[in-house]
Amino acid sequence: MHRLFVAIRPPDEIRDALIDTMEAIEGARWQHEEQLHLTLRFVGAVERPAANDLADALAEIEWPPFPLHIEGVGAFERGGRHGSRPHAIWARVPASTALEGLRQKVERACESVGLPRETRRFTPHITLARLGRSTGPIGGWLAAFGDLSAGPWQVRDFILFESHLGHEGAHYEPVARYPLSA
């Protein structure tokens, strides 16, 4: 089985700006530089034939390059028996027609190879840290980096990644890169 996702990888200068925010939350599991990406579609575990079919379908996508930027930060919360608590912090990527158009093309490629349609709402973001029950308060961090701004950068490709889970967390391996062209 191959655990796959499709994503946009920001350039070095954007990743450097994001890494500069990674501080001051006790117990946060900060992402490594090679893990920073904007997920267009989480695919999940698929057998090799389906993975190959998906790679081929993604290669058929035609979409022009477009700009993205970072604007602010936020947190995802997860509900539990004792109320909700933050489980991840992220950098916000403002929605755009171009980004949504590419995401829809990726979704159609996934559907064309028999993958079920994504039902979760798309919230463009780059995850910066995972948070657990023992993580310290995040309010100070959210206030300090609430006006985070980086970019713009020109998106020139998207990538099919395979995620390998291990004791140290996930390692993301690029499987195929798909250039955008006008």
Side-chain angles (χ1 to χ4, degrees):
M1 294 292 271
H2 300 274
R3 189 170 188 264
L4 303 175
F5 65 94
V6 181
I8 294 170
R9 182 108 159 100
D12 290 344
E13 62 273 12
I14 302 300
R15 294 192 313 264
D16 288 346
L18 296 175
I19 288 167
D20 288 346
T21 70
M22 296 181 179
E23 61 184 28
I25 299 177
E26 186 179 331
R29 294 183 317 276
W30 297 103
Q31 299 289 89
H32 297 289
E33 181 275 335
E34 65 273 4
Q35 295 173 308
L36 297 174
H37 65 274
L38 185 159
T39 301
L40 294 170
R41 174 63 150 81
F42 178 74
V43 175
V46 296
E47 298 286 348
R48 180 170 298 281
N52 290 339
D53 290 347
L54 177 59
D56 292 344
L58 291 171
E60 298 298 316
I61 291 176
E62 293 182 9
W63 196 254
F66 60 94
L68 284 182
H69 67 282
I70 304 292
E71 187 179 281
V73 296
F76 287 128
E77 293 193 351
R78 181 175 291 148
R81 291 186 321 209
H82 305 291
S84 63
R85 63 174 180 80
H87 71 90
I89 55 171
W90 42 266
R92 186 171 85 82
V93 176
S96 71
T97 303
L99 177 59
E100 180 59 20
L102 177 58
R103 188 192 72 76
Q104 287 291 336
K105 289 221 174 213
V106 168
E107 183 63 40
R108 283 193 290 278
C110 290
E111 288 178 358
S112 77
V113 300
L115 295 170
R117 183 160 189 76
E118 176 61 71
T119 57
R120 292 173 292 188
R121 191 172 138 259
F122 179 61
T123 302
H125 70 281
I126 299 172
T127 299
L128 301 177
R130 309 264 180 218
L131 310 175
R133 295 189 193 289
S134 61
T135 302
I138 65 169
W141 184 90
L142 290 170
F145 294 104
D147 62 353
L148 177 66
S149 179
W153 79 90
Q154 195 71 3
V155 176
R156 300 190 188 286
D157 59 21
F158 64 96
I159 303 167
L160 176 63
F161 283 96
E162 183 167 359
S163 175
H164 304 279
L165 301 178
H167 298 299
E168 303 286 315
H171 165 71
Y172 304 144
E173 176 186 355
V175 174
R177 184 177 300 270
Y178 303 97
L180 301 179
S181 59

